[in-house]
Amino acid sequence: MSEKFDVIVIGAGPAGYVAAIRAAQLGLKTACVDAFVGKDGKQALGGTCLNVGCIPSKALLDSSKQYYNIAHNLPVHGITVEGAKVDLGTFIGRKDKIVKQFTGGIGQLFKANKVTAFFGKGKLLKGNDVEITGNDGSKQTISATNVILASGSVPIELPFAKFDNKFIVDNAGALDFTEVPKRLGVIGAGVIGLELGSVWKRLGSDVTVLEALPDFLSVADADIAKIAAKEFAKMGLNIKLGAKLTKAEIKGNEVALTYEDKDGAHELTVDKLLVAVGRRAYTDGLLAADTGVKLDERGRIVVDEHNHTGVNGVWAIGDAVRGPMLAHKGSEEGVAVAEWIAGKAGHINLDTVPWVIYTEPEIAWAGKTEKQLKDEGVPYKVGTFPFAAIGRAVAMNEAIGQVKMLAHAETDRILGVHMVGPGVSELIAECVVAMEFKGSSEDLARIVHAHPTLSEAVHEAALSVDKRAIHKGN
Ligand code: FAD
Ligand code: NAD
């Protein structure tokens, strides 16, 4: 007889492992099945985010920022450092150590919460059994009342630029270069292209980013994207818009690219090519043919607003389902589903999920862009405030960017907040809280913000919605 659980989670990324821990906290007998193999060939919990995504990219972004600042920021403070060098082994090694610390930490959390971890590929069978195939080919079947599918996503591969993981790489490859590429090509000026492109640019690569769309960062508010584009250009990221890659050929130790833009075809030769053109839901081998779980036209598992698949006891969360492909979105879905399974009132509001791009300057937003409000015919007011007028930002020599707040023209309810500038990855949290509580710009305008802090930019942007910012003309 197969071992029986209350809940089996397939996938131990930020969606799955959080769902498993919350389910166990609620007294449910829980198992989590994951197939991810770490750099050392052993099971590594944490999925994309902890192994080859959020955490390692932020580790490299931080290390590269320290190095970049030596030449580009410290001299303004009267500090000069001669002969600064990067030891890439230590640089990558630090990242690997952080990854290990966090992936290992999940194993400990599983033990502490009595989640049983299985290592192998899980397949949902009809009737909520899960077949697990180990790396050695061995098979076992476990069963549960509820199964949560959290199989995540994988990079999209271009047919004419297939990953060889030496010269043409995905995110995992670009986190593990053994030397700084002299010339790095990046396909896609999206989140990964900008973050990882920044890492290698700061270490000295000549980075060219080819973006197929004519507009830069069209998911963000246009004003914010415009400021960011200017800063990235100053930093030396060469971003070519409306540029479609048509061919990538590995020739010796180089990659020869052909791309087309409005002026015709162009050639470009690089030492490494990072392809970051988006990710697709990963469901390969996840579902037996007769489970009844449906996929949509983009291969995502179809779920309702409670992340239920419509098949009794089968739920799905994270990158494998609709909504933004963000770790915190998947984690919150995981908590909500565990609570729904336990008969409690779970909650997830996709309208207030914050986005953060960890470049320099950082970009962050929550809610609607100005264009979305215009397209939807929603009447709105705009308040903005530049970091150039924020004492703390100037003291930090990081007085770049602005906070832009959009509020309903009649009710004053905050509909969107968009930021580019120092520390905005943290500032956005205040706005998400306000939006979640259906707050108004007036609410934020009346809250005391410490001086001198970066958060004063949020305060002043809220005041500016009503044309009463203090430290700028209205
Ligand atoms: P995943 O993290 O992809 O985890 C799914 C897990 O399931 C994997 O371990 C996989 O091996 C396993 N699995 C799949 N199928 C099976 C199966 N059949 N059986 C067993 N196991 C299976 N998001 C942010 O919010 N902030 C960031 O800063 C950020 N940075 C990123 C940087 C990069 C370079 C990348 C690539 C992504 C980044 N993301 C970031 C996105 C984030 O990583 C994903 O949104 C998040 O990991 C999705 O979580 P998940 O649990 O749904 O899936
Ligand atoms: P993305 O969707 O952010 O960006 C892909 C870009 O590639 C788009 O601008 C798209 O227009 C462009 N593109 C698509 N096909 C192209 C082609 N053939 N030639 C040139 N450009 C092309 O995707 P991504 O950067 O691969 O990241 C995937 C997802 O991972 C993100 O959308 C995000 O959900 C998640 N992520 C989040 C963070 C974060 O939260 N900080 C960081 C990294 C990744």
Side-chain angles (χ1 to χ4, degrees), residues 331-371:
S331 297
E332 291 309 317
E333 284 178 328
V335 168
V337 166
E339 292 180 351
W340 285 319
I341 289 172
K344 297 196 172 296
H347 166 84
I348 170 91
N349 179 5
L350 294 183
D351 292 339
T352 53
V353 174
W355 275 84
V356 176
I357 307 179
Y358 298 82
T359 42
E360 279 296 305
E362 291 182 342
I363 302 165
W365 72 89
K368 305 269 185 184
T369 63
E370 195 169 348
K371 181 172 183 307

Side-chain angles (χ1 to χ4, degrees), residues 28-90:
L28 300 165
K29 186 181 173 195
T30 305
C32 186
V33 184
D34 192 275
F36 200 96
V37 179
K39 263 174 109 172
D40 57 4
K42 296 192 183 132
Q43 177 175 30
L45 300 169
T48 304
C49 179
L50 272 67
N51 287 286
V52 289
C54 328
I55 297 298
S57 60
K58 268 79 252 179
L60 296 192
L61 276 159
D62 199 76
S63 294
S64 60
K65 181 177 162 182
Q66 309 281 358
Y67 177 68
Y68 187 82
N69 279 349
I70 291 172
H72 296 89
N73 204 357
L74 293 191
V76 181
H77 295 268
I79 304 164
T80 47
V81 179
E82 307 261 310
K85 284 198 303 256
V86 174
D87 174 52
L88 203 57
T90 309

Side-chain angles (χ1 to χ4, degrees), residues 10-16 33-36 44 46-49 52-54 57-58 120-123 150-153 171 175 192 195-196 279 282 284-286 317-320 325-328 330 356 358:
I10 303 182
V33 184
D34 192 275
F36 200 96
T48 304
C49 179
V52 289
C54 328
S57 60
K58 268 79 252 179
K121 179 109 183 153
K123 181 185 214 170
S151 53
S153 64
N171 54 292
L175 290 165
I192 294 179
E195 289 188 353
L196 295 183
R279 297 176 63 83
Y282 179 67
D284 301 5
L286 177 70
I317 57 178
D319 279 12
M325 287 185 163
L326 296 172
H328 41 283
V356 176
Y358 298 82

Side-chain angles (χ1 to χ4, degrees), residues 130-314:
V130 173
E131 179 192 80
I132 305 168
T133 307
N135 272 12
D136 56 0
S138 62
K139 286 194 193 293
Q140 62 176 313
T141 301
I142 56 176
S143 63
T145 316
N146 287 279
V147 177
I148 304 175
L149 306 171
S151 53
S153 64
V154 288
I156 292 172
E157 188 168 50
L158 294 174
F160 43 86
K162 286 200 175 285
F163 299 120
D164 75 330
N165 280 325
K166 194 167 172 215
F167 294 102
I168 303 180
V169 302
D170 59 10
N171 54 292
L175 290 165
D176 265 335
F177 288 144
T178 49
E179 55 188 70
V180 179
K182 208 165 163 313
R183 299 158 301 177
L184 173 66
V186 178
I187 310 302
V191 197
I192 294 179
L194 292 173
E195 289 188 353
L196 295 183
S198 296
V199 165
W200 297 104
K201 175 70 209 166
R202 291 171 191 166
L203 296 194
S205 285
D206 187 359
V207 179
T208 306
V209 186
L210 304 181
E211 165 59 49
L213 293 179
D215 296 322
F216 176 65
L217 208 57
S218 50
V219 287
D221 188 88
D223 290 339
I224 299 300
K226 202 166 146 195
I227 296 169
K230 219 163 115 191
E231 292 305 321
F232 297 151
K234 268 195 228 161
M235 179 190 159
L237 271 185
N238 182 10
I239 301 172
K240 295 182 186 295
L241 299 175
K244 288 195 185 89
L245 182 75
T246 52
K247 199 160 120 190
E249 241 185 313
I250 299 165
K251 287 186 176 165
N253 283 332
E254 299 178 331
V255 191
L257 311 180
T258 309
Y259 67 93
E260 281 170 17
D261 62 14
K262 59 181 179 7
D263 302 320
H266 307 267
E267 313 273 313
L268 176 73
T269 304
V270 295
D271 301 298
K272 301 277 181 191
L273 181 67
L274 162 62
V275 179
V277 294
R279 297 176 63 83
R280 65 170 176 89
Y282 179 67
T283 56
D284 301 5
L286 177 70
L287 305 166
D290 56 355
T291 59
V293 174
K294 290 192 184 64
L295 303 183
D296 68 14
E297 69 294 345
R298 288 169 59 184
R300 300 174 300 191
I301 300 167
V302 174
V303 288
D304 64 14
E305 70 279 15
H306 287 117
N307 290 80
H308 196 258
T309 63
V311 174
N312 196 19
V314 182

Side-chain angles (χ1 to χ4, degrees), residues 67-125:
Y67 177 68
Y68 187 82
N69 279 349
I70 291 172
H72 296 89
N73 204 357
L74 293 191
V76 181
H77 295 268
I79 304 164
T80 47
V81 179
E82 307 261 310
K85 284 198 303 256
V86 174
D87 174 52
L88 203 57
T90 309
F91 181 90
I92 299 288
R94 188 188 89 97
K95 177 265 294 177
D96 289 341
K97 219 167 129 193
I98 293 168
V99 166
K100 201 103 193 112
Q101 179 187 334
F102 279 88
T103 55
I106 293 173
Q108 286 164 13
L109 287 172
F110 275 4
K111 275 202 192 102
N113 286 284
K114 300 192 172 52
V115 173
T116 308
F118 288 88
F119 184 21
K121 179 109 183 153
K123 181 185 214 170
L124 177 70
L125 308 177

